[in-house]
Amino acid sequence: MSQEQTPKRAEPEVDLSKMKRNAPAIIVDIALGILFFIVAKLTDLQTAAFFGVGAALLLIVIQQFVKSVDLLGGLALFGVVMLGISAAFAWYFQDDLMIKLRTSIVGGFSSSLFLTDAAFGGRYLGERLSRYMPFKVIPRRLAFVVGGLSLIMAAVNGVLALYAPEDIWLFYTTFGDIVLFAGLFALAGPYVRGDNLPA
């Protein structure tokens, strides 16, 4: 065993306190996704988008009175932004297809931001995102992986939005995409952490 690996062993591989601290925001993000799914099934995508952004605005108001728990950190804030974009697409285009494609459009845009950040060392997005990771990561690699995966997710969503039945797309965008992203991110985990690789 090399001497470089010894300090890594002395540190805990997983910091569960980070997961515990961000649990309320993660639960809120999942709840917003389920809400969108249920309303879309009972009505249509446009109504679901407007209903979702209304719930998100209510959540922002609640956060002003509940200071002890962070409801909008990390994933939840991103979910609120996505719901707002969904509502904007629904209002402007009045078209279900454009609402479906908003994930691809925003995913492509966010991918470019993360890849640009990675090119400059991950000093902004990569560094900020690393604070939510329950293990040590290299911010530049984290930004690069998230940017690449965002591009992949945008492409998958685009294919399903254009060619799959609405029920399949709705199920995927609510539940499947996070499973796919988590699986791909897990595969990239050793690279992001820098395990046995030069930084």
Side-chain angles (χ1 to χ4, degrees):
M1 296 293 178
S2 67
Q3 293 180 346
E4 294 179 357
Q5 292 176 329
T6 304
K8 291 184 179 180
R9 285 182 175 180
E11 299 173 359
E13 291 186 6
V14 178
D15 184 359
L16 295 179
S17 65
K18 287 187 177 181
M19 297 295 291
K20 184 177 180 179
R21 184 170 61 249
N22 294 314
I26 294 173
I27 292 171
V28 165
D29 184 63
I30 293 172
L32 289 174
I34 293 175
L35 176 66
F36 180 86
F37 178 81
I38 292 174
V39 176
K41 289 291 289 183
L42 296 175
T43 57
D44 55 52
L45 293 180
Q46 296 180 37
T47 302
F50 287 117
F51 197 90
V53 79
L57 291 174
L58 178 61
L59 185 65
I60 292 174
V61 172
I62 293 174
Q63 181 70 88
Q64 302 307 308
F65 296 95
V66 183
K67 300 293 186 180
S68 59
V69 179
D70 183 9
L71 300 174
L72 297 172
L75 297 175
L77 183 58
F78 181 75
V80 169
V81 172
M82 288 299 295
L83 286 169
I85 293 173
S86 296
F89 270 70
W91 173 79
Y92 187 79
F93 292 103
Q94 297 290 313
D95 181 74
D96 284 353
L97 178 59
M98 291 305 300
I99 295 175
K100 293 179 182 180
L101 290 175
R102 107 280 186 190
T103 301
S104 295
I105 295 170
V106 174
F109 178 67
S110 64
S111 173
S112 66
L113 293 179
F114 273 100
L115 292 176
T116 300
D117 185 59
F120 288 94
R123 290 175 291 186
Y124 183 71
L125 295 176
E127 179 63 36
R128 288 171 66 87
L129 188 58
S130 69
R131 299 171 190 171
Y132 294 96
M133 296 292 104
F135 44 79
K136 283 185 173 287
V137 299
I138 299 174
R140 177 179 59 81
R141 292 184 178 182
L142 178 62
F144 177 75
V145 167
V146 171
L149 292 184
S150 295
L151 198 58
I152 292 173
M153 302 299 291
V156 172
N157 180 81
V159 170
L160 291 178
L162 291 171
Y163 301 109
E166 184 174 299
D167 282 350
I168 293 178
W169 172 84
L170 185 59
F171 184 84
Y172 167 78
T173 195
T174 306
F175 305 107
D177 62 347
I178 186 64
V179 174
L180 178 59
F181 186 91
L184 293 174
F185 188 83
L187 291 176
Y191 173 77
V192 172
R193 294 191 300 270
D195 295 354
N196 300 320
L197 293 171

